[in-house]
Amino acid sequence: MDHLATLVTKIAQHTDCDGVHPTKIPNLSLIRISNPTEPIRSVTQPSLCIVVQGTKHVTLADHTYEYGAGRHLVVSVELPVISRIVEASPEKPYMSLLLTLDMPALGSLLMEMPRTAETGTARCGTGLCVSEASPSFLDAALRLTHLLDTPEDIDFLAPLAERELLYRLMRGEQAHKVRRMLMPESRLQQVNRAITWIRDNFDKPFSIDRVASEANMSSSSLHEHFREITAMSPLQYQKQLRLQEARRMILAEALDAATAAHRVGYDSPSQFSREYRRLFGAPPIRDISRVRGEPNSYADA
């Protein structure tokens, strides 16, 4: 049985146009894109993405991950990334499944699984890793998507099918990373607490000591492990959140650059303009004009 071909057919049946398509299965979305895209900046959420056709690049800081048909990406913390579909056409669109990770369900599964059931050996340090999808993993993904054909079965069977897919994830190469996501005092969880605090307070000044205290870490340990997991420092992370939110405000709320800069915490408009240009490749007015002139992009694809 060709799992990838069947998944391509299944996604095609349930997506009639390009975009990110939420489904009646609460945590599952289907993605279909018919042409390569420009680089898109976004903040990822803890999730699992399985590509069944086409190829995508995701860049975190200075490292680019490529994953195509038969590979999957696991994101364990919120990360500012650049995404780009590099292989897609109307005849063979990029297609993938996006599953938002249900942390309580993962935690329950972890408590029930014997430690010896884990087979993964990969030790990917960052909060974003790519692996091959095994036949059993793809088979579980196929069982979940098959439920879209029988909506009356979703309430009862979707939690079981999703649990099987999460189980296969826990048995795969990234089992160690998933376990780290769930351990309360793991370095990943400590950094995640720091990320949450920065996200909730990104428009305010902060000291590294304050963030380290929130994460229950020393300042030196926070610097080391935050960079290991996010590929950037806490201050660089805050800057990316500020600039992305300012860009969203200018686009969605029609704010001028100076107002958006002030709302996200910048006191100096000139500093904002310099850092905006460094991140997005153009000053705010030119960048926004360029974005509004481009066709729709899909940050979650």
Side-chain angles (χ1 to χ4, degrees):
M1 178 182 181
D2 189 337
H3 296 92
L4 288 177
T6 307
L7 282 165
V8 167
T9 300
K10 193 59 59 183
I11 292 175
Q13 289 174 350
H14 292 279
T15 58
D16 56 3
C17 61
D18 282 2
V20 181
H21 300 267
T23 71
K24 292 184 178 180
I25 298 173
N27 294 323
L28 180 68
S29 295
L30 305 179
I31 298 97
R32 175 179 181 156
I33 301 177
S34 299
N35 294 286
T37 66
E38 293 297 318
I40 306 157
R41 290 186 176 271
S42 62
V43 178
T44 65
Q45 302 296 317
S47 55
L48 164 68
C49 182
I50 307 169
V51 176
V52 301
Q53 185 168 271
T55 305
K56 180 179 180 181
H57 287 175
V58 176
T59 300
L60 174 63
D62 297 325
H63 187 77
T64 297
Y65 301 80
E66 177 178 295
Y67 62 116
R71 307 193 83 196
H72 66 280
L73 173 102
V74 175
V75 180
S76 55
V77 294
E78 296 182 24
L79 295 170
V81 299
I82 305 172
S83 304
R84 182 170 177 242
I85 306 303
V86 297
E87 183 184 340
S89 68
E91 297 75 27
K92 292 188 67 174
Y94 168 89
M95 292 184 175
S96 63
L97 291 81
L98 181 68
L99 185 73
T100 302
L101 291 179
D102 184 334
M103 303 310 289
L106 269 173
S108 174
L109 184 61
L110 177 66
M111 294 296 292
E112 296 176 34
M113 284 181 63
R115 188 65 181 263
T116 53
E118 294 182 17
T119 59
T121 58
R123 292 295 185 268
C124 173
T126 66
L128 183 156
C129 293
V130 174
S131 298
E132 295 293 330
S134 67
S136 59
F137 188 84
L138 293 173
D139 192 42
L142 187 55
R143 260 191 289 283
L144 182 63
T145 55
H146 266 311
L147 291 174
L148 297 173
D149 296 335
T150 55
E152 66 276 10
D153 295 332
I154 286 176
D155 286 348
F156 184 77
L157 294 180
L160 302 177
E162 183 177 337
R163 180 179 169 86
E164 180 187 1
L165 184 57
L166 296 177
Y167 171 80
R168 294 299 177 188
L169 182 63
M170 291 289 291
R171 293 292 308 274
E173 292 182 0
Q174 299 200 43
H176 175 72
K177 172 172 290 297
V178 177
R179 180 175 283 274
R180 287 174 65 204
M181 293 169 64
L182 299 164
M183 294 291 97
E185 294 308 315
S186 70
R187 291 301 187 194
L188 182 65
Q189 279 297 339
Q190 289 178 309
V191 169
N192 195 36
R193 286 200 292 270
I195 287 172
T196 299
W197 192 91
I198 294 171
R199 182 198 64 207
D200 292 344
N201 299 275
F202 73 89
D203 56 341
K204 305 177 183 67
F206 70 80
S207 68
I208 294 300
D209 288 344
R210 172 64 190 275
V211 181
S213 175
E214 293 290 334
N216 196 26
M217 305 171 76
S218 68
S219 296
S220 59
S221 181
L222 173 66
H223 263 296
E224 176 187 353
H225 295 288
F226 196 99
R227 185 175 289 278
E228 176 191 0
I229 290 167
T230 69
M232 62 192 78
S233 71
L235 288 174
Q236 289 170 327
Y237 189 97
Q238 179 206 40
K239 183 186 298 183
Q240 292 227 9
L241 293 186
R242 283 182 167 186
L243 293 171
Q244 289 200 32
E245 177 61 12
R247 192 189 203 204
R248 186 201 65 78
M249 288 178 175
I250 296 170
L251 276 167
E253 301 177 26
L255 296 184
D256 61 86
T259 301
H262 180 72
R263 285 197 184 179
V264 300
Y266 279 90
D267 294 324
S268 167
S270 60
Q271 180 187 1
F272 170 75
S273 184
R274 285 195 305 272
E275 294 184 353
Y276 189 104
R277 180 172 187 165
R278 193 174 300 125
L279 185 63
F280 296 114
I285 293 176
R286 195 187 327 155
D287 172 62
I288 296 304
S289 296
R290 180 183 62 191
V291 171
R292 285 176 175 156
E294 292 176 352
N296 288 337
S297 300
Y298 305 100
D300 294 328

